[in-house]
Amino acid sequence: MSNAPRLTALDALHRSLGATMTDFAGWDMPLRYASERDEHNAVRTKAGLFDLSHMGEITVTGPQAAALLDYALVGNIGGVATGRARYTMICREDGGILDDLIVYRLGDTEYMVVANASNAQIVLDALTERAAGFDAAVRDDRDAYALIAVQGPESPGILKSLTDADLDGLKYYAGLPGTVAGVPALIARTGYTGEDGFELFVEPRHAETLWRALTEAGAPAGLVPCGLSCRDTLRLEAGMPLYGHELTTSLTPFDAGLGRVVKFEKEGDFVGRKALEAAAERAATNPPRKLVGLVAQGRRVPRAGMAVVAGGQVVGEVTSGAPSPTLGKPLAIAYVDASLATPGTEGVGVDIRGTHEPYEVVALPFYKRQK
C-alpha cells in the first residue's frame, strides 16, 4: 500500500497558484495561497473559494435507507425532506462520537452522508456493518465527487451569474441538482465558515472547469482562493466543532453541548441510545465539564492541549486556539469545569509555556454574521 498522500482533481491548479500544500488526513491540500489573514477577511467581507474534495461521500440507497440511517446515526434522518440536509453524528455503542456528519436526502430512497476526511473509512465501515439486516446498500463514493465551496456574503451573487438554479429558494441546509457554468452539480447551501455560502458536489473531471469559472465570475466581487488554515480560523470564530478537537470518541454529543442532535423521540432503537440517555441525564444534573469560548486579554495565542487554570489548579483544556482576524484577539474553545463555564467568569487563564495568561469566559459562537 502506498503512503503517498492522495491528490484532489485540483492539485495541479493549486500548485500553479503558488499554494503552500500540507498533508491533511492523508490528502495533499492547500494550506494557504498567500496571506491566511487576507483569505479569512475575504470570506467575512466578500467571498472565498475552497477545495474540499478530501471530504468523504458515502451513498446509502434502497427501500430501507432511511431506517438504516435512523438506526446507525443519532438523528431523525427519516424525517428529513427530499432536497434538505441535516447535521448529525454517528456514535459508538458507549455514546462516544465516531464523527459528525451532514446527511443530504437526494431522493425517496437515496441519501448522501458526508464524513470528515480523517474518519471517512471509519464511518464507511460502521455504516456497512450496521446495514446488516436492512434492505439498503452502502456505497463508497469518495472517488465519485470533487467538492468546491464558495463562501461569504458575495457568494450568492457570484453563483447566480453561473446558474439558473433557484438560489433564492434554496434554504440553509438544503441542496438541489443544477448546472453551474455548464457543469452538473449538487448545489448545497451549507458551509463551515459562519457565512452564507454554497458547497458544490461535481464529478472530479469537471472540477477545474468549475473552479476557473467561479474564479472569473468572482474576481469583480473580490473572491480569492482559500486554504485550510483560514477555514480553521473561520470555523473557530463561528464556534463550530472540529473532529479530533472538540469531538472525540471519549466524548458524547452531550459533553460537547450538542445534545440537540440526538433525537430520542424517533421510533425504534439506535446505536448508542442507552448510553446517550445516561449521558443526557448526567449533562442535565451534574456535568463534569462544559465547552466554552475563551477570549484573551493579552496577545499570546493558545493552542490545543494547553491547560486551562484557575486559582492555581487545572480546570480544563483548550481544544482549539488561534488568533482571530475578525475580533483582533487570540481565541480558544475549551472544556472547563462546569462551575467556571458561566459567561463573564473571571480569574480563568491558559497555561502558555508556564505563564498563566488571563482569559475571559464567553458564550459560543464568538462571531455571528448579520442576517
Side-chain angles (χ1 to χ4, degrees), residues 39-87:
E39 291 171 25
H40 178 111
N41 290 334
V43 175
R44 285 278 177 258
T45 60
K46 297 176 181 116
L49 191 59
F50 296 83
D51 179 7
L52 305 179
S53 302
H54 60 311
M55 300 296 280
E57 296 87 6
I58 301 160
T59 304
V60 180
T61 55
Q64 289 190 297
L68 161 59
L69 290 170
D70 276 340
Y71 168 71
L73 311 179
V74 301
N76 179 4
I77 308 304
V80 177
T82 299
R84 298 306 301 264
R86 182 151 297 168
Y87 176 76

Side-chain angles (χ1 to χ4, degrees), residues 337-355:
D337 290 356
S339 61
L340 298 167
T342 309
T345 299
E346 291 179 354
V348 171
V350 174
D351 186 340
I352 302 182
R353 288 177 287 283
T355 307

Side-chain angles (χ1 to χ4, degrees), residues 92-96 252 254 264 272-280 282:
R92 301 193 305 194
E93 199 64 67
D94 67 0
T252 72
F254 293 95
F264 292 123
R273 181 192 267 273
K274 273 202 169 61
L276 289 167
E277 283 171 346
R282 268 198 317 276

Side-chain angles (χ1 to χ4, degrees), residues 229-304:
S229 187
C230 84
R231 191 166 183 252
D232 192 48
T233 52
L234 289 159
R235 71 91 196 167
L236 175 67
E237 288 181 351
M240 294 174 165
L242 176 63
Y243 196 88
H245 290 255
E246 288 71 42
L247 311 174
T248 69
T249 49
S250 63
L251 295 165
T252 72
F254 293 95
D255 296 321
L258 291 165
R260 65 179 181 276
V261 305
V262 182
K263 304 299 182 188
F264 292 123
E265 67 275 15
K266 65 179 173 176
E267 279 181 36
D269 196 18
F270 62 89
V271 178
R273 181 192 267 273
K274 273 202 169 61
L276 289 167
E277 283 171 346
E281 203 168 313
R282 268 198 317 276
T285 54
N286 190 23
R289 284 185 169 173
K290 285 189 170 180
L291 196 64
V292 300
L294 297 175
V295 178
Q297 290 169 23
R299 307 302 312 162
R300 295 181 75 187
V301 178
R303 297 295 179 197

